[in-house]
Amino acid sequence: MIGRILAGVALGTVAVALATPSLAQTSTPFSVRNSFRVGTSGVACTAQNAPSDPRVKGMFDRAYRLSCRDAAGAVGNVIAVRRSIALVAEPRGPGVPDLACGEVGRTDLSGVGTVETVTCRDGKANVDYRRYVVERGGTSYLVEGLAGYDPALRLALASVVNDAPQPGEIRVASTEVSDPAAFARVQAGLLEADDAVEEGYTRNNGGRFAESAEFFDAAANRNRDNPARLAEALANQGLQLSNLGNFDGARRVFEEATGQVARGDGVTQRLLRNYRAIDLLNQGRSRDALEVLNEPVATVLETPEESSLRQGLISSSLSDQINRENVGLQRLGGLDPGLTPVERAEVLDGQSLMLAGIAHRQVGDLAEATVLLNDAAKKIDSVRDGRVVSTGFLRSEIQMELALIAEAEGRRDEAVGAFDSAIAAIGASYPNSPALLAARARKAAFLGRGGDVAGARSIYEDVVEEAPSIPDVGPTLRSLLSPYFSLLAKAGDSDAAAAMFSASQVLERPGVAQTQAILARQLSDGNDEAASLFRLAIRRSREIARQEVEIGRMQGIDEPTPQDIENLRIAESSLATMKQEQAALTSQLSAFPRYKALAPEALEIADLQKELRAGEGYYKLIVVGDDLYGLFTTASGARVIPVPGKVRDLEKEVQVIRDSVVTVQGGQTINFPFDLVAARKLYLKLFEPIDSEIKGLDHLIFEPDGPMLQLPPYILVTEDRGVTAYQERMKKPKADEFDFTGVDWLGRGRKVSIAVSPRGFLDIRALQPSNAPRNYLGLGNNAPVQARPIGAVATECDWPLAVWDRPIAPDELFFAQSRLQGGASEVRVGEQFTDSALLSDQTLDQYKIVHFATHGLVSAPRRGCPARPALVTSFGDSGSDGLLSFREIFDLKLDADLVILSACDTAGMATVSASRDAGVTTGGNYALDGLVRAFVGAGARTVLASHWPVPDDFDATKRLVSGLLDAGSEVPLAKALATAQESLMDDVDTSHPFYWAAFVIVGDGAKPIVTGK
């Protein structure tokens, strides 16, 4: 996907190196940069340029706002001013409340020397703040912020004083709730609109696509009244969507951007033309891209003032403009206001030639591609004599393309040189970036294709080792690591298995695994006061994300009324307060050392093996591009299993099996005879090389990927004999097509757990069991309604009332209560089972097992409405909608060993949109990211969820759940489930997998159902 390592050229200010052809970003003085990282390790913290700080008066004064990952707002401020500062009397910075300060003292800061310091207190929030001040060479430097972020404050001050990076680790509290994109959203919110655009380009060109999208999103929201700037921001949003594979979304945004471009705006027209071509190249539509690149664009002419400036002359009007725009001068470190429109157009035309060269190479026209690529390099280097730093990614891409052409023509030595030139070019402009790792991975692929396996593996290993320390690297490397996995699969030894294990972690998507990590962090020392504070910080983070979604909706109103404008103002003010409160909560967490300890960036395979017990095996299915691999690990060894076929083949195979389990036609659930042959073939496809090891396992931990996320592994068939016996029976008259007794299912005779990542599994395994005093809470059997209650929430996307008319019988709930009565168990049904009652209940964390027997809703109620996963409840107080939604489940306060979801398809997904509406800023669009993730987020260590509508016939679900809970308090959960399943397998009426295989254990099935009584 060539376009995914391309990016744009800023229409506004483009950083220009004034002395050297290619000035690395990390060597640029901090005083001329929009943002910089604080420290070199630990929690990621950055400083963002803050020219609107009212304490900045003079042209040479500077201000920054400090942000740290997982803090929703700024954690501090830094100023550098040409005047004296009185430590206590100096006015507080943006976002800092009224404070009562103590005595001024002195301390030594590394890299600075002796400074004055004072600790102040926000009496309302009971939160401490800290200030440090020092004077150097006529400039006073002040840092202030939350005391819990003291390491970040100290390093930020040292960085600004020295105008350069300062080494140091930032050990502050971290919830690990956010990902790089979510942190970028916080950073973008602290920047001015133009600075957000520039930072967006920087991250875009460095291959940090998801982060870049957040900066351009912020710029778009702030430029709604400026069509030219809005078009630029929208064009870049579209490019990020394409780079991340969302081509439909990219097309829609490009169309919106086109509507904002003025007829005579040749620069923006060129930008949009190039981005649309990149989008087509991302899709493999090379010839369509060439057509787009041939579309006419407006001519860009040089103004008289620009001509004078190019000759070194500054007119009085331009001088006045420069003096007004001193913020830009601070950033650029001189009087150069950036590229002129003519120069920008030249760079964009150079990029267009490069894109045309790529398209010609892709269709096999190597001679024309070579000419176009060389012309592109000349045109780009003609601007400012090749000293435009932000075009380094273009030079790199041109060299990469020339290397591929040289390889195709058999000129391998030239190809090596071109790859090295490409790596050097991108490394000079964007060191420690996804784009640099991508360039190195592409060279490794070249070496592998040429037979230099050792050289290729060496580069790949370095890329994988460095990847965890570079934010937002996964989307860039996802397809580029496919050749590496192929090399490892061919090797197949234990070293290859360890290497594949490490590489697979680069590809992991956020979702349930991240939510499990947050839960493990919250409960690492039990459900104590610190855990409550942690939970509060997490909840406030979700509230902030939800408020941001609502503000985005308000900002999208085409013709806002005065009331709409006032509502938006109130919402934005509320958001600012919430961010300040959340940052203060995270600061308070620093008092608890366990929240300062960061999780290791990557696991080694030995870490997993150390925790696996005798008789356990961990099978990780890995989708890389279109290819499939299996990685099987036990305590004593590991093997790579090449899985034949492509992802599309697996999709078809899984769908055939799913359709033979259950389909829904006309709203009716319909069963067909199960496809044993397909299930046997799929078992062999995934497990044949390790067949004997699988059959010898007591506990299989299966981590699905791709299509297998939608299929429980139990229903695969391990032996031919059961298939043959079934086929022979079917030859007899009046044979029962639904009799599957005697089949050797993978789920027979062994425990099976579903993992979402090795780290997620180890996190859950390490958690101590719940200390909740009560064993069991059963919930279900909603009250039917004839009409929507007065005061109930009503929207055009409501579910029909028929949804509430078929409540699930509560028999399984009362049976479970009877078996677990020793621990003060309880059942709530009918009018007691309402959404409003659950949301206001502060005792839910008093139960070890929480069991829902109700209908699950996973699809949209009707066409044109969004899908919002939810559980059906009775209607409650005014404002109730009779649903416990995905969003509301996250807000429950549980401390449960197990949540049982005896409902329809509860192992399904939640969309990205539904996740964001719930305040969850990561993941979405994958199975298990729906209700399972929501209950993990609420406090469930393990979730029992279903892959299809659970059956009422033959009391199948009741028998499963009853067997599960009747096994005994210390019996492993997966053992209890397997035993219950086997009883249904051996019954002719329930031997079809529809009846016994729907439920999966997401978590560690080796843990007992209930500990203690």
Side-chain angles (χ1 to χ4, degrees):
M1 288 268 200
I2 298 300
R4 296 191 182 182
I5 58 171
L6 302 175
V9 178
L11 301 191
T13 304
V14 177
V16 178
L18 302 179
T20 60
S22 183
L23 183 62
Q25 190 184 29
T26 52
S27 64
T28 308
F30 285 173
S31 55
V32 298
R33 286 171 55 181
N34 277 329
S35 66
F36 57 86
R37 176 166 181 175
V38 178
T40 51
S41 63
V43 172
C45 296
T46 62
Q48 284 76 233
N49 185 36
S52 60
D53 190 314
R55 298 171 297 180
V56 171
K57 305 293 184 183
M59 179 174 178
F60 298 100
D61 290 350
R62 289 176 284 137
Y64 303 91
R65 300 198 76 184
L66 304 178
S67 59
C68 290
R69 180 170 173 174
D70 296 334
V75 301
N77 304 282
V78 185
I79 58 172
V81 294
R82 298 289 183 92
R83 58 179 173 81
S84 297
I85 289 179
L87 184 57
V88 175
E90 177 69 17
R92 64 184 186 275
V96 178
D98 290 330
L99 302 172
C101 297
E103 295 294 325
V104 174
R106 300 175 73 83
T107 189
D108 289 332
L109 293 191
S110 177
V112 179
T114 302
V115 301
E116 289 188 342
T117 181
V118 66
T119 297
C120 307
R121 189 164 185 80
D122 174 5
K124 291 183 179 179
N126 292 321
V127 176
D128 286 339
Y129 284 72
R130 197 153 290 149
R131 279 186 162 192
Y132 297 97
V133 69
V134 68
E135 189 273 333
R136 292 285 187 275
T139 298
S140 295
Y141 301 88
L142 168 73
V143 66
E144 62 186 346
L146 291 158
Y149 287 91
D150 189 65
L153 303 181
R154 290 167 171 257
L155 278 168
L157 181 63
S159 299
V160 175
V161 169
N162 291 282
D163 206 15
Q166 299 298 296
E169 180 184 19
I170 296 180
R171 289 181 58 84
V172 297
S174 172
T175 60
E176 298 190 0
V177 69
S178 65
D179 65 356
F183 183 33
R185 190 176 310 123
V186 174
Q187 295 170 304
L190 300 177
L191 287 173
E192 303 291 322
D194 287 349
D195 292 341
V197 169
E198 186 173 333
E199 188 66 24
Y201 279 116
T202 297
R203 303 202 185 199
N204 188 9
N205 298 348
R208 294 159 69 176
F209 302 132
E211 293 181 36
S212 177
E214 298 298 338
F215 286 93
F216 286 116
D217 182 62
N221 288 333
R222 297 177 201 170
N223 283 301
R224 290 290 169 186
D225 58 348
N226 185 332
R229 301 297 281 176
L230 177 59
E232 177 188 4
L234 289 172
N236 278 282
Q237 278 186 299
L239 178 64
Q240 306 319 314
L241 289 171
S242 178
N243 285 337
L244 295 169
N246 185 352
F247 301 124
D248 288 339
R251 175 182 50 77
R252 290 193 296 270
V253 175
F254 285 144
E255 289 173 355
E256 184 181 356
T258 300
Q260 299 290 332
V261 181
R263 178 176 295 182
D265 186 354
V267 175
T268 309
Q269 289 175 13
R270 283 168 169 80
L271 181 90
L272 192 53
R273 172 200 65 190
N274 291 1
Y275 284 8
R276 288 170 52 221
I278 292 172
D279 176 49
L280 292 167
L281 290 172
N282 279 342
Q283 300 176 61
R285 298 166 58 186
S286 305
R287 298 191 187 280
D288 291 339
L290 288 171
E291 290 185 17
V292 168
L293 292 169
N294 286 326
E295 292 177 357
V297 291
T299 302
V300 180
L301 300 175
E302 188 173 61
T303 66
E305 283 193 342
E306 290 166 352
S307 177
S308 298
L309 179 62
R310 183 165 44 80
Q311 299 172 46
L313 303 174
I314 300 178
S315 66
S316 58
S317 62
L318 181 58
S319 176
D320 290 342
Q321 178 185 348
I322 289 173
N323 289 331
R324 288 195 306 271
E325 297 178 352
N326 64 83
V327 172
L329 301 180
Q330 294 169 25
R331 190 165 60 247
L332 292 173
L335 295 182
D336 192 332
L339 297 181
T340 68
V342 170
E343 289 171 326
R344 296 175 205 139
E346 284 288 296
V347 173
L348 288 167
D349 284 341
Q351 185 186 40
S352 176
L353 289 170
M354 181 194 73
L355 296 173
I358 292 171
H360 277 282
R361 180 191 63 79
Q362 290 181 346
V363 298
D365 189 353
L366 302 186
E368 180 66 13
T370 302
V371 171
L372 288 167
L373 290 167
N374 284 318
D375 288 347
K378 291 176 184 176
K379 184 171 281 290
I380 292 167
D381 286 342
S382 71
V383 179
R384 303 281 178 99
D385 297 323
R387 291 177 292 150
V388 182
V389 171
S390 55
T391 58
F393 76 97
L394 293 174
R395 298 188 191 91
S396 174
E397 191 58 39
I398 289 169
Q399 291 298 318
M400 196 74 68
E401 287 294 316
L402 291 172
L404 294 173
I405 291 171
E407 179 188 13
E409 295 178 342
R411 297 178 283 112
R412 292 194 61 80
D413 289 344
E414 290 183 37
V416 171
F419 273 115
D420 288 340
S421 296
I423 292 168
I426 199 68
S429 296
Y430 301 100
N432 303 315
S433 68
L436 177 58
L437 292 189
R440 290 162 58 189
R442 293 172 76 180
K443 179 183 178 182
F446 159 75
L447 295 176
R449 289 191 298 269
D452 185 1
V453 173
R457 283 187 58 172
S458 177
I459 294 176
Y460 278 129
E461 287 167 5
D462 290 342
V463 166
V464 168
E465 183 178 358
E466 294 173 32
S469 64
I470 297 177
D472 201 15
V473 74
T476 301
L477 290 182
R478 188 169 300 281
S479 60
L480 296 176
L481 288 181
S482 186
Y484 183 37
F485 279 77
S486 179
L487 292 175
L488 295 174
K490 289 175 183 176
D493 55 20
S494 59
D495 288 342
M500 184 175 285
F501 182 84
S502 297
S504 68
Q505 293 176 73
V506 177
L507 310 181
E508 286 178 2
R509 301 176 180 90
V512 186
Q514 184 186 29
T515 308
Q516 286 179 330
I518 293 168
L519 178 66
R521 196 165 179 77
Q522 173 188 323
L523 299 177
S524 56
D525 275 355
N527 191 20
D528 57 6
E529 176 189 354
S532 297
L533 184 62
F534 184 96
R535 187 194 295 266
L536 183 58
I538 296 295
R539 182 166 183 169
R540 189 54 50 87
S541 296
R542 288 200 293 264
E543 291 170 350
I544 288 166
R546 295 169 185 173
Q547 184 79 339
E548 288 173 336
V549 170
E550 180 62 17
I551 287 173
R553 186 194 63 78
M554 293 178 176
Q555 291 172 334
I557 297 174
D558 291 334
E559 297 181 4
T561 65
Q563 186 60 54
D564 291 332
I565 295 172
E566 175 62 11
N567 290 343
L568 176 59
R569 185 195 65 78
I570 293 172
E572 290 176 334
S573 175
S574 174
L575 178 63
T577 300
M578 291 163 65
K579 287 182 174 181
Q580 185 176 339
E581 291 174 352
Q582 191 274 351
L585 285 169
T586 310
S587 175
Q588 289 176 282
L589 281 174
S590 291
F592 302 95
R594 71 187 196 237
Y595 295 131
K596 289 185 179 181
L598 291 179
E601 291 181 332
L603 285 176
E604 300 292 336
I605 198 168
D607 297 324
L608 175 61
Q609 290 177 306
K610 183 173 62 176
E611 298 301 326
L612 291 176
R613 299 160 187 165
E616 288 188 327
Y618 191 108
Y619 185 100
K620 180 179 178 70
L621 182 64
I622 307 168
V623 173
V624 188
D626 293 329
D627 298 318
L628 301 159
Y629 303 93
L631 181 60
F632 181 65
T633 306
T634 64
S636 58
R639 288 184 59 183
V640 175
I641 300 102
V643 178
K646 299 295 183 181
V647 173
R648 58 183 174 273
D649 302 319
L650 183 59
E651 288 173 350
K652 295 175 183 176
E653 293 156 357
V654 167
Q655 193 59 53
V656 165
I657 297 173
R658 284 267 321 194
D659 288 345
S660 75
V661 173
V662 61
T663 59
V664 178
Q665 297 180 1
Q668 297 295 313
T669 300
I670 299 176
N671 297 117
F672 296 96
F674 184 72
D675 196 329
L676 283 177
V677 173
R680 174 62 177 154
K681 288 181 178 178
L682 185 51
Y683 173 84
L684 294 173
K685 179 172 186 166
L686 298 177
F687 299 110
E688 185 173 24
I690 52 170
D691 177 59
S692 61
E693 291 97 320
I694 292 293
K695 291 174 180 174
L697 290 179
D698 173 62
H699 184 197
L700 170 64
I701 302 116
F702 183 73
E703 181 188 333
D705 196 5
M708 283 301 296
L709 284 163
Q710 301 174 353
L711 193 72
Y714 313 123
I715 60 177
L716 302 184
V717 179
T718 62
E719 299 282 359
D720 289 326
R721 61 192 178 195
V723 181
T724 303
Y726 175 82
Q727 292 171 333
E728 289 299 319
R729 287 202 304 271
M730 291 308 101
K731 295 177 183 178
K732 299 177 181 180
K734 298 183 180 181
D736 184 355
E737 293 181 304
F738 289 83
D739 177 5
F740 293 95
T741 55
V743 174
D744 297 290
W745 306 105
L746 179 58
R748 182 184 288 277
R750 64 186 53 83
K751 302 190 290 286
V752 179
S753 299
I754 300 299
V756 292
S757 74
R759 178 176 299 286
F761 176 74
L762 295 185
D763 282 340
I764 294 302
R765 172 155 283 191
L767 273 181
Q768 293 298 309
S770 170
N771 287 320
R774 302 178 182 180
N775 275 345
Y776 176 85
L777 174 63
L779 301 160
N781 190 233
N782 66 274
V785 291
Q786 300 302 315
R788 197 170 299 277
I790 297 174
V793 174
T795 73
E796 60 185 14
C797 284
D798 281 340
W799 285 89
L801 290 179
V803 166
W804 284 265
D805 286 345
R806 297 175 290 105
I808 293 177
D811 299 17
E812 64 187 78
L813 301 177
F814 287 111
F815 176 84
Q817 181 188 27
S818 70
R819 303 308 299 167
L820 299 169
Q821 188 61 49
S825 298
E826 182 181 357
V827 170
R828 301 177 194 171
V829 296
E831 299 295 344
Q832 289 184 309
F833 172 50
T834 69
D835 54 339
S836 50
L838 287 170
L839 292 171
S840 63
D841 192 338
Q842 299 301 307
T843 68
L844 294 179
D845 64 348
Q846 301 297 298
Y847 298 92
K848 289 181 163 76
I849 298 176
V850 180
H851 179 185
F852 288 85
T854 187
H855 294 293
L857 306 176
V858 294
S859 59
R862 57 181 61 88
R863 186 184 299 274
C865 292
R868 295 288 186 267
L871 295 175
V872 173
T873 68
S874 302
F875 281 89
D877 299 337
S878 177
S880 165
D881 60 0
L883 298 172
L884 190 62
S885 69
F886 176 76
R887 168 176 174 163
E888 291 168 338
I889 291 167
F890 265 102
D891 290 338
L892 299 178
K893 183 184 177 184
L894 306 179
D895 181 19
D897 288 323
L898 174 65
V899 166
I900 302 172
L901 301 180
S902 185
C904 302
D905 199 17
T906 50
M909 75 170 190
T911 63
V912 170
S913 175
S915 299
R916 302 302 174 267
D917 285 350
V920 181
T921 59
T922 62
N925 278 356
Y926 290 91
L928 305 180
D929 273 356
L931 296 175
V932 169
R933 186 182 188 188
F935 275 105
V936 172
R941 292 161 176 79
T942 297
V943 178
L944 188 72
S946 63
H947 270 293
W948 48 77
V950 294
D952 293 328
D953 299 342
F954 309 112
D955 286 333
T957 301
K958 177 183 174 182
R959 289 162 60 189
L960 268 180
V961 174
S962 300
L964 176 74
L965 298 178
D966 202 26
S969 62
E970 296 297 331
V971 175
L973 174 61
K975 176 65 175 176
L977 179 61
T979 301
Q981 287 174 323
E982 288 178 27
S983 70
L984 272 69
M985 293 176 193
D986 296 334
D987 182 335
V988 172
D989 291 333
T990 56
S991 58
H992 190 293
F994 170 68
Y995 296 103
W996 58 263
F999 287 107
V1000 291
I1001 297 167
V1002 183
D1004 182 5
K1007 293 198 170 190
I1009 300 170
V1010 177
T1011 55
K1013 292 186 179 179

